[in-house]
Amino acid sequence: MDFNHFLSAYLKDPAYGGRRLYMDMVAQAKQAEACGYRGVTIPEHHLINILLIPSPLQMAAYLGAVTSRIELVTSVAVLPIRDMRVFAGEVIQASNLTDGRLVLGVGRGAFAYEVERLGVPYAELKPKFEESLAVLEALLTKEEVSWDGKYYKFDKLTAMPRPELPVTLMLAVMVPEGIEASARKGYHVQTTPLGAEHSVLMEQVNAFHRGKAAAPAGASSRLALQRGVYLAKSAEDARAKVEAAHDYYMRFDNLWSGPGIVEHGAIRPLPRKQTVEELAASIIICERDEMIDRLAVYAEAGIDEVIMSSNFGQPQEETLDMMARFASEVMPHLAGVKQKRVA
């Protein structure tokens, strides 16, 4: 099982500033490469102070210039807010500038607050995503593409320059039925249970394996699962980080399932139904021995890659230290753990 560090770009205090925030993310990417992580994952969100990377391809291109090995994964590029005729060329450019290390994770968007302010009705996200994905794949793999659909109508054109290396696609899906359908088609899949309990995670994992088992011969799709993960130094440190994660989810849930209250770009934290203790039982914020045991369950379940969401508002130096400790104290113990469970 591989590990990927999520550049979650959490601007808890807007006074911290975007320049410091993005330089922190760059430093974390360099640390991930130095410590042996498979890659880093780059989110995309707009108009809010969490997951705040408005241009994931721009960030990927920058990181490609300051790293040499790690994968640069978008999680995710939101297709319905873009014109695929423009985006296809941007993807090809970013792939070239990163020497083919770009992994293009794509999705439909998460928050009604932002997509509707960008001109896309929330109810149209799914159908517009599906057509956008079809258009994008056509533009990346064919020349002289024309289209006559609901959202795209255009005469023959060719995205330029042409890709020199295949662009790896991953679909972001959370609903088990969608995960299974995506894996059945041979796609790589990104998913997350967010802060939900382990049983929700296993429903997602089992759906992926059912779909992969029914995929065309030769398909080699991978499952990347994003989860809150932080290697604590002590029980007290673990408690503090879980409380910080709970505070983060007070903001996230406001947009994900709440009223979407945002003031001057900052999401208002709102009370949550899930307690701190319940969250601690779901995400993996703990000391070394417990972490190894809990992540071994993930490896045995057949999760190919864990996307570690570890930025909960703590100082940058703590994050960099944690990444190094995780690489030296946890990763070696999971290198040989084999899948035991297939749905």
Side-chain angles (χ1 to χ4, degrees):
M1 186 168 70
D2 296 315
F3 294 93
N4 183 303
H5 180 73
F6 191 33
L7 302 176
S8 47
Y10 177 27
L11 189 63
K12 183 176 181 179
D13 179 5
Y16 190 78
R19 185 177 186 280
R20 291 175 67 189
L21 176 71
Y22 295 134
M23 289 302 100
D24 285 351
M25 297 304 102
V26 170
Q28 289 178 25
K30 292 178 178 179
Q31 181 79 322
E33 177 156 283
C35 291
Y37 290 71
R38 180 185 176 101
V40 293
T41 301
I42 307 165
E44 177 189 351
H45 281 284
H46 305 264
L47 315 175
I48 53 177
N49 63 323
I50 63 172
L51 307 168
L52 183 54
I53 298 182
S55 177
L57 292 185
Q58 188 178 69
M59 177 64 86
Y62 187 98
L63 295 179
V66 297
T67 61
S68 60
R69 176 190 59 80
I70 53 172
E71 289 183 344
L72 305 165
V73 186
T74 59
S75 181
V76 294
V78 181
L79 299 191
I81 66 173
R82 293 185 163 83
D83 186 322
M84 293 302 99
R85 291 164 291 189
V86 176
F87 188 60
E90 294 173 340
V91 169
I92 296 166
Q93 180 183 37
S95 180
N96 287 335
L97 292 174
T98 59
D99 295 322
R101 289 186 285 137
L102 176 70
V103 176
L104 187 66
V106 297
R108 68 182 194 178
F111 302 141
Y113 174 88
E114 60 179 337
V115 296
E116 292 192 343
R117 282 163 175 77
L118 296 173
V120 182
Y122 190 77
E124 293 188 20
L125 285 180
K126 185 176 186 295
K128 189 170 184 183
F129 168 76
E130 290 172 349
E131 184 173 335
S132 297
L133 177 62
V135 172
L136 177 63
E137 289 188 286
L139 292 171
L140 292 177
T141 58
K142 302 174 184 179
E143 298 183 16
E144 296 298 274
V145 175
S146 60
W147 207 265
D148 185 14
K150 178 179 179 180
Y151 299 101
Y152 285 91
K153 296 180 184 295
F154 55 84
D155 295 331
K156 289 192 294 185
L157 56 84
T158 299
M160 293 293 288
R162 301 306 299 152
E164 297 178 36
L165 297 169
V167 178
T168 301
L169 276 173
M170 296 189 86
L171 301 193
V173 195
M174 291 181 63
V175 177
E177 293 80 6
I179 293 171
E180 183 174 348
S182 299
R184 189 183 300 116
K185 294 176 182 177
Y187 286 111
H188 303 296
V189 173
Q190 295 179 10
T191 193
T192 178
L194 299 175
E197 61 270 16
H198 185 72
S199 62
V200 174
L201 178 153
M202 288 308 305
E203 289 175 4
Q204 295 171 320
V205 173
N206 290 337
F208 173 80
H209 289 307
R210 288 194 301 270
K212 185 175 181 179
S220 56
S221 52
R222 289 173 55 86
L223 175 63
L225 185 138
Q226 184 268 329
R227 194 62 146 161
V229 178
Y230 190 96
L231 178 60
K233 291 183 176 180
S234 64
E236 293 76 15
D237 186 34
R239 175 71 186 188
K241 297 303 186 294
V242 171
E243 290 177 349
H246 192 268
D247 181 77
Y248 169 85
Y249 276 113
M250 291 171 70
R251 293 166 170 80
F252 185 94
D253 289 356
N254 175 353
L255 292 188
W256 177 252
S257 57
I261 301 173
V262 179
E263 298 161 325
H264 301 282
I267 307 167
R268 182 188 296 179
L270 297 179
R272 308 183 68 232
K273 293 181 180 179
Q274 186 183 46
T275 66
V276 172
E277 290 73 23
E278 289 168 340
L279 181 62
S282 297
I283 61 177
I284 305 182
I285 298 180
C286 52
E287 296 177 78
R288 187 195 67 175
D289 291 348
E290 179 183 349
M291 177 162 289
I292 292 169
D293 290 343
R294 292 177 68 182
L295 286 174
V297 173
Y298 284 25
E300 291 169 356
I303 296 170
D304 297 296
E305 183 173 358
V306 174
I307 300 172
M308 297 173 53
S309 182
S310 305
N311 288 300
F312 305 114
Q314 72 273 7
Q316 167 78 344
E317 57 270 19
E318 291 187 21
T319 304
L320 297 176
D321 174 71
M322 189 284 301
M323 293 174 67
R325 288 187 292 104
F326 182 89
S328 62
E329 299 176 19
V330 176
M331 281 189 192
H333 294 276
L334 296 163
V337 179
K338 302 298 183 183
Q339 178 180 342
K340 292 183 179 179
R341 179 173 180 172
V342 178

